Amino acid sequence: MIAVTGATGFVGRRVVSDLTGRGHAVIGLVRGAPGPDDRVVGEIGAGTEWTRALEGVEVVVHCAARAHVMQERSSDPLSLYRAVNVEGTRRLAAQAAHCGVKRLVYLSSVKAAGERSAPGRPLRVSDPPAPEDAYGVSKLEAESALREVGAATGLETVIVRPPLVYGPGVKGNFLRLLDAIARGWPLPLGALENRRSAVSLANLADFVGVCVGSPAAAGKTFFVSDDEDLSTECLARGIGAALGRPARLLPVPATVLSMLAKMAGKTAEVERLVGTLQVDLTDACGLLAWSPPYTVEQGLRETAAWFRSLR
C-alpha cells in the first residue's frame, strides 16, 4: 500500500491518480474532510501523530508542505517553513520507519539547490546547494533530515527536486500568464533568450511512480523536468498556441526589464521571467532509465483545456 500526503493538493491529486492507474493500492493522508480512501492526520508539524495512519503502508510519497509564498507577510518566515517542511518531515520519516514503511519519496524543490544556472550548464545534483529564500532553505534542511533518519533506521529515502510545475489547477505566475495571454494583453517578453526547466504534472507524477518502485532510486536525489527547456518567450508562445490565442509579445530587452524591476522593488519576480534555471536529467534518465513520456506541447494543451473550462 502507498500513502500520499497532501493527496488533495495540486501535485498530490495527480500522484494519487497516476499511482492508482499503475495498479497500486493508494490512500491519502490529509488534514481533514477525508474521502473514502483517505486517513486524517491533521496539521503537519513536529507533533503530528502518523502511526495509526501508516498502518499497512509500505511506501510514503510526501507531497504535503508549506508552499512557497509569493507575498510573504510573516516577520520570521523561516520558522514557519521549518515547522512544517523540516520538523514535520523529520517526524513523518521517523514514525514511518518505526511502522515498518520501506521507502519514503519526498517532493522537494529546485529551490533547495538554487534559483539560477549558468547558460549552457544546468544544475546537477552534485552541485553545492545554494538556496536563496526561506522556502528553499527549509526544503534543503528537510532533505538533510530525511537522510539522517534513513541512515539511522534503514528507511529508504528518495528525493525529487522539480522546477516549476504546471498543469490543471496551476496557480501563481503561470496562471497569471495564462490569463494575460487568453485576454490578449501585450506582454514585454518578446526578446527573452533565457532557458528555464519546467515539468508538467503528468511527467512529474510518472516520475514519482518510477521512484516508488525502482530499486535504483533508493538513497538518491533527482532533478526532474520536461523534455525541453524553453525561453520565457517560447513558453508564452506555446501557451498561446495551446489556447488558440497567439501571444502578443513586445521585444523588450531583459536588461531593461531587470532595471525596471529593480526600480519597482520586483527584482525576484522578474528574475523568474528573465533568468536562466535549467536542471540536469542525467541521473533520472541514466539511473532509472526514465524519460519524460509527455511533451511540453501535450502538457500545455492539457493545462489550456483546464483553463478554458474555467471561463
Side-chain angles (χ1 to χ4, degrees), residues 4 44 50 73 116-117 119 147 149 153 216 219 227 253 257 259 261 284:
V4 179
I44 295 177
W50 298 93
R73 291 181 171 84
R116 61 187 57 81
S117 62
R147 294 188 188 99
V149 173
T153 65
D227 61 342
L257 289 176
M259 179 183 67

Side-chain angles (χ1 to χ4, degrees), residues 10 14 164-171 174-179 182 198-202 226 235 238-239 242-243 295-311:
F10 171 52
R14 190 59 169 260
L164 169 71
V165 183
Y166 67 95
V170 69
K171 298 179 181 179
F174 201 99
L175 179 58
R176 285 189 281 272
L177 185 58
L178 277 165
D179 187 57
V199 63
S200 69
L201 272 177
D226 288 338
L235 174 61
I239 290 173
L243 288 170
T295 65
V296 173
E297 182 180 3
Q298 288 173 310
L300 292 178
R301 283 205 307 264
E302 182 185 29
T303 308
W306 162 79
F307 179 78
R308 285 194 300 268
S309 74
L310 303 178
R311 298 171 70 85

Side-chain angles (χ1 to χ4, degrees), residues 3-20:
V4 179
T5 71
T8 59
F10 171 52
V11 173
R13 286 194 302 269
R14 190 59 169 260
V15 168
V16 169
S17 176
D18 187 270
L19 291 173
T20 302

Side-chain angles (χ1 to χ4, degrees), residues 107-117 122-124 128-133 135-137 139-140 143 159-165 196-199 221-225 272 276-280:
L107 268 293
S108 184
S109 168
V110 69
K111 283 179 167 287
E115 298 277 359
R116 61 187 57 81
S117 62
L123 291 179
R124 301 167 183 164
E132 296 185 13
D133 63 12
Y135 174 74
V137 169
K139 283 295 194 175
L140 182 63
E143 293 180 6
I159 294 168
V160 180
R161 291 174 173 172
L164 169 71
V165 183
R196 296 191 75 85
S197 296
V199 63
T221 298
F222 300 99
F223 285 119
V224 59
S225 70
R272 296 187 186 96
T276 287
L277 178 56
Q278 295 177 274
V279 299
D280 189 300

